[in-house]
Amino acid sequence: MPNSFLEMAFAEAEAAAARGEVPVGAVVVAADGRSVLARAGNRVEELADPTAHAEVLALRAACQTLGRPRLEGASLYVTLEPCAMCAQAVALARVARLVFAAYDPKGGGVEHGARVFARPTCHHRPEVIGGIDERRAAALLATFFKARR
């Protein structure tokens, strides 16, 4: 079933690209490992909001669905390594597992850059699984940016 959640995240990323947004998609799965709480794609341009990353939008929606600010036991599936802002949101939401496709050496905040979860000030560290279907995610991003250059 986890691959189907990543497939949903890819569908959100492709929809984001169709809207002219950087193609990143995210899906939050409940602690039961079966129920999708929320899914989203980037909407930074559409909403004129620099925080409207797929991860943040999906986490907000999942918290609204549950009526609480923490998502204990939940998993987040995303097509790109979260940036530092999104990684911190994952920690604050107490997400149990983060699964992402492509690594982001330039803007990532999990395995690269700020390495949010490795900081002593980080109060919650999820299980992290990166590089799942990395080539597909990287190709989606490369195609998107090539068309804009």
Side-chain angles (χ1 to χ4, degrees), residues 25-73:
V27 173
V28 179
V29 178
D32 68 9
R34 293 184 302 274
S35 307
V36 173
L37 294 173
R39 50 193 291 177
N42 276 356
R43 292 189 179 274
V44 172
E45 301 299 328
E46 175 187 340
L47 299 176
D49 178 355
T51 70
H53 291 196
E55 302 94 309
V56 170
L57 296 173
L59 291 171
R60 286 177 184 160
C63 287
Q64 288 292 316
T65 296
L66 295 178
R68 61 179 193 251
R70 283 172 278 295
L71 302 168
E72 291 95 348

Side-chain angles (χ1 to χ4, degrees), residues 51 53-56 59 76 82-91 117:
T51 70
H53 291 196
E55 302 94 309
V56 170
L59 291 171
L76 174 65
C83 69
M85 174 186 69
C86 293
Q88 187 61 50
V90 166
F117 305 136

Side-chain angles (χ1 to χ4, degrees), residues 39-144:
R39 50 193 291 177
N42 276 356
R43 292 189 179 274
V44 172
E45 301 299 328
E46 175 187 340
L47 299 176
D49 178 355
T51 70
H53 291 196
E55 302 94 309
V56 170
L57 296 173
L59 291 171
R60 286 177 184 160
C63 287
Q64 288 292 316
T65 296
L66 295 178
R68 61 179 193 251
R70 283 172 278 295
L71 302 168
E72 291 95 348
S75 298
L76 174 65
Y77 293 81
V78 63
T79 58
L80 182 65
E81 175 184 351
C83 69
M85 174 186 69
C86 293
Q88 187 61 50
V90 166
L92 291 170
R94 306 292 195 266
V95 170
R97 181 179 303 106
L98 168 64
V99 179
F100 65 86
Y103 289 93
D104 187 356
K106 184 177 176 184
V110 176
E111 301 288 338
H112 298 89
R115 293 191 167 118
V116 170
F117 305 136
R119 300 278 177 225
T121 55
C122 184
H123 299 291
H124 174 78
R125 292 167 182 82
E127 173 188 4
V128 176
I129 303 166
I132 307 298
D133 215 353
E134 181 177 10
R135 287 185 183 158
R136 179 179 174 192
L140 181 61
L141 288 158
T143 300
F144 175 82

Side-chain angles (χ1 to χ4, degrees), residues 11-23 42 140 144 148:
E12 292 294 332
E14 290 163 0
R19 293 190 303 272
E21 301 278 356
V22 174
N42 276 356
L140 181 61
F144 175 82
R148 275 143 186 81

